[in-house]
Amino acid sequence: MAEHQLSKTFPVKPKLKPKPRTQKQTPESKYWSSFKSQQIPNLISSITSLTFSNTPSRPFAATHSASLTIFSSQTFSTTTTITSFSDVVTSASFRCDGLLIAASDLSGLVQVFDIKGRTPLRKLRSHSRPVRFVQYPFADKLHLVSGGDDALVKYWDVAGETPISEMRGHKDYVRCGDCSPVNSEMFVTGSYDHTVKLWDVRVADSKSAISINHGYPVEDVIFLPSGGLVATAGGNSVKIWDIIGGGKMLCSMESHNKTVTSLCVGKMGKDSGEESQQYRIMSVGLDGYMKVFDYAKMKVTHSMRFPAPLMSVAFSPDSSTRVIGTSNGIIYAGKRKTKEEAEEKKDLGGFMGFGTVEEPEVRALKSSYVRYFHRGQGEKPAEGDYLVMRPKKVKLGKHDKLLKKFRHKEALVSVLGGKHPGNVVAVMEELVSRKKLLKCVMNLDTDELGSLLMFLHKYSTVPSYSALLMGLTKKVLELRVEDIKASVTLKGHIRNLKRSVEEEIRIQHSLLEIQGIISPLLRLAGRR
């Protein structure tokens, strides 16, 4: 009679499988890793700030030492270098049309430059101490906001070179600020007095509309694209606040090990899908890490390590370029190839005045060609295609073939002679489900029983296998006690097994003693 064959056969695997320590790379991690880093070295000293222009060419400016350098976001080459400063440059900001750029320095001076020229068009003098940030308000070409170590925030009339209003309220150095993306008359500032204040230039008494306590000296503050949320950085934490709700904290991220120095907002540059309209917060710190934070899901989605402390970060409005400034004068600029650039490379029409370059004509395939019979095998599926996958051939081991033929004892003996404990446990679990494991143990001869006891001695105390093997060990001792007493070899295996179990019990007692010592200390420290 023909042997009965199962319609589908699967190789046995252990049910309890330890999880891998390294997680698989997510689609979002692949996206952020697609920015290929390129170094822009030799910028003398720490990169104090980075900022992009909103013009279609997307140049970016970097402040370092007593210089302001503007780079092309396409080639990362220097286009303009401005050195009309008497002290270290701390901050820079492009005007909304990209024609002018404002910069501040430690001398307390704010200067406005033409992008193409190197001589200052305006010099704004009013701060008595170093100016730490300067910014053009959203869609405003006539005013500037600045703040400095004199704890003052000033709103400037650029044409008249005079401050229109002076905001007092901070009690320590004002280190950062940002203007609202929906209202050019509102902005926030952060100070070393641990507070973030929201200002409205229309308020007559120059008092802050909202004051938020971050809990640490504030290193950076930014508006999120909606205009109703603010992100602050200070200490090793990044916090998000709802200013429409009166300054309520929504979440706190503490994934950095050292001080967070800079923040920016980046838009996911997917061409289509839900992710094309999602924004992320990027933070950098003195620990050398850049973190990407999804504030909709309240979790860190990507992390990247750099070989130096990071001081500044910026992301282009078109989601194609990311730049990170370090403390040793190196900019790590990363560019992602966009869909438009890929199409431009394919389109060679009009190159050097020779007209459109036509693609070479493809010869029709005939049945006499070998390629005719291999056509279509290299084609990639288009979006929306239904894929019919060819079932993979199942490779069965020797024990799987024996289990398929219901030769249970031989299957157990075959894996006991191998080097993979996972296969042994998998076969035992399969025999338990078939209610044949104890019967196989009863039918083992002396040598085979010795192999089983040797396996139990090695792996019965392993945490991932102990739940099954400890119970099996008890059953083996009960069922085969007479055979064990009659054999010197089996007695030796039992002694080894006893020693390993006693050693495991001793380790567990030691761990419990350590836990008893540490638990009161943790309670006293307030960590539980």
Side-chain angles (χ1 to χ4, degrees):
M1 191 172 86
E3 188 177 315
H4 176 67
Q5 296 290 332
L6 298 176
S7 59
K8 286 187 179 180
T9 305
F10 302 97
V12 293
K13 296 180 181 179
K15 296 176 183 177
L16 298 175
K17 197 172 183 180
K19 295 182 179 180
R21 292 189 179 183
T22 56
Q23 297 181 351
K24 292 183 178 180
Q25 195 174 26
T26 62
E28 184 159 337
S29 294
K30 292 180 181 178
Y31 171 77
W32 293 111
S33 300
S34 65
F35 288 83
K36 305 302 179 183
S37 291
Q38 175 182 337
Q39 292 188 23
I40 304 176
N42 304 325
L43 295 183
I44 304 174
S45 67
S46 175
I47 312 300
T48 53
S49 75
L50 292 164
T51 182
F52 275 91
S53 172
N54 285 323
T55 56
S57 58
R58 312 295 187 196
F60 66 92
T63 60
H64 55 96
S65 185
S67 303
L68 169 65
T69 306
I70 300 175
F71 297 89
S72 168
S73 63
Q74 305 299 322
T75 61
F76 299 136
S77 59
T78 303
T79 58
T80 305
T81 300
I82 302 173
T83 57
S84 303
F85 301 95
S86 59
D87 211 328
V88 175
V89 187
T90 56
S91 178
S93 175
F94 284 97
R95 201 169 72 172
C96 58
D97 57 5
L99 298 178
L100 301 180
I101 186 170
S104 61
D105 59 34
L106 294 183
S107 68
L109 180 65
V110 177
Q111 302 182 70
V112 180
F113 300 89
D114 185 0
I115 291 294
K116 298 180 180 179
R118 299 183 180 182
T119 56
L121 302 179
R122 293 289 186 274
K123 292 186 177 182
L124 311 180
R125 304 177 187 271
S126 180
H127 285 281
S128 60
R129 302 191 70 178
V131 180
R132 295 295 179 172
F133 93 95
V134 63
Q135 189 167 6
Y136 272 102
F138 175 74
D140 189 342
K141 300 179 181 179
L142 304 176
H143 301 96
L144 275 175
V145 178
S146 66
D149 289 354
D150 53 5
L152 298 177
V153 181
K154 302 198 176 186
Y155 186 69
W156 295 87
D157 175 15
V158 178
E161 299 184 358
T162 55
I164 297 175
S165 59
E166 188 176 275
M167 289 76 169
R168 299 176 179 269
H170 285 296
K171 299 179 181 179
D172 207 335
Y173 302 155
V174 178
R175 304 291 291 197
C176 53
D178 192 26
C179 296
S180 171
V182 296
N183 190 334
S184 60
E185 296 174 322
M186 298 184 69
F187 50 92
V188 290
T189 56
S191 170
Y192 271 11
D193 62 2
H194 300 193
T195 63
V196 174
K197 295 184 181 293
L198 175 68
W199 308 93
D200 189 339
V201 296
R202 295 166 292 187
V203 178
D205 57 1
S206 299
K207 289 185 178 180
S208 61
I210 295 176
S211 181
I212 299 168
N213 189 348
H214 178 81
Y216 297 95
V218 181
E219 299 288 345
D220 201 4
V221 57
I222 57 171
F223 270 99
L224 299 187
S226 64
L229 301 177
V230 168
T232 60
N236 66 338
S237 64
V238 176
K239 298 181 181 181
I240 299 178
W241 310 82
D242 181 7
I243 59 174
I244 295 179
K248 178 183 177 182
M249 187 178 74
L250 300 181
C251 69
S252 177
M253 176 186 67
E254 298 179 355
S255 61
H256 285 275
N257 299 321
K258 294 183 180 180
T259 302
V260 183
T261 54
S262 182
L263 300 173
C264 76
V265 176
K267 182 180 178 183
M268 290 287 288
K270 299 282 186 178
D271 298 324
S272 61
E274 295 181 358
E275 291 183 347
S276 61
Q277 299 300 324
Q278 295 183 4
Y279 291 88
R280 302 288 185 266
I281 296 174
M282 282 177 281
S283 62
V284 295
L286 297 180
D287 56 1
Y289 278 96
M290 182 200 76
K291 306 280 185 177
V292 180
F293 183 60
D294 183 358
Y295 58 90
K297 298 180 180 179
M298 306 298 181
K299 66 177 184 179
V300 177
T301 57
H302 183 64
S303 180
M304 186 177 293
R305 177 79 183 272
F306 292 86
L310 307 181
M311 305 302 297
S312 52
V313 62
F315 197 70
S316 64
D318 61 355
S319 306
S320 64
T321 310
R322 179 213 66 214
V323 288
I324 298 174
T326 66
S327 61
N328 56 6
I330 296 176
I331 296 177
Y332 290 94
K335 186 172 177 60
R336 182 174 177 269
K337 188 180 294 184
T338 61
K339 187 176 181 181
E340 291 76 9
E341 290 178 355
E343 291 177 354
E344 287 178 3
K345 290 185 178 181
K346 293 181 180 179
D347 184 15
L348 301 176
F351 178 72
M352 296 295 290
F354 291 110
T356 304
V357 179
E358 297 181 357
E359 294 184 358
E361 185 179 353
V362 180
R363 295 190 337 184
L365 290 177
K366 298 180 181 180
S367 58
S368 58
Y369 298 160
V370 175
R371 288 192 298 116
Y372 177 83
F373 298 96
H374 296 280
R375 65 192 187 281
Q377 293 186 8
E379 288 293 326
K380 294 182 179 180
E383 187 176 356
D385 286 349
Y386 180 78
L387 300 181
V388 179
M389 306 300 293
R390 179 181 295 176
K392 295 182 179 180
K393 186 177 180 180
V394 179
K395 294 183 179 180
L396 297 178
K398 182 180 179 181
H399 58 277
D400 290 310
K401 294 177 181 178
L402 293 170
L403 286 173
K404 186 179 177 182
K405 297 176 181 179
F406 303 101
R407 295 160 65 177
H408 301 133
K409 175 192 166 184
E410 296 176 25
L412 179 60
V413 172
S414 67
V415 289
L416 285 174
K419 299 180 180 179
H420 302 286
N423 291 340
V424 180
V425 175
V427 170
M428 288 180 176
E429 289 173 345
E430 178 64 21
L431 293 177
V432 169
S433 64
R434 297 187 186 189
K435 299 181 180 180
K436 297 293 182 180
L437 180 58
L438 297 182
K439 185 177 180 180
C440 292
V441 171
M442 287 292 295
N443 294 332
L444 294 176
D445 60 27
T446 304
D447 294 337
E448 294 167 349
L449 183 59
S451 300
L452 177 60
L453 291 175
M454 189 182 300
F455 176 81
L456 294 175
H457 161 237
K458 287 184 179 179
Y459 300 104
S460 60
T461 56
V462 176
S464 56
Y465 304 142
S466 60
L468 173 66
L469 298 185
M470 291 302 292
L472 178 61
T473 303
K474 294 179 181 179
K475 290 293 183 181
V476 170
L477 294 176
E478 292 174 3
L479 297 174
R480 303 300 298 267
V481 60
E482 297 298 331
D483 297 323
I484 294 171
K485 290 180 179 179
S487 174
V488 178
T489 305
L490 296 181
K491 287 181 180 179
H493 292 313
I494 295 298
R495 284 194 294 270
N496 294 335
L497 178 60
K498 183 180 179 181
R499 279 197 294 267
S500 64
V501 172
E502 289 174 348
E503 179 66 17
E504 181 67 21
I505 293 173
R506 188 188 64 79
I507 293 172
Q508 293 296 331
H509 285 167
S510 300
L511 292 175
L512 289 174
E513 291 175 2
I514 294 172
Q515 184 181 4
I517 296 171
I518 294 177
S519 296
L521 298 177
L522 293 177
R523 289 192 180 92
L524 289 175
R527 295 185 181 180
R528 285 192 175 182

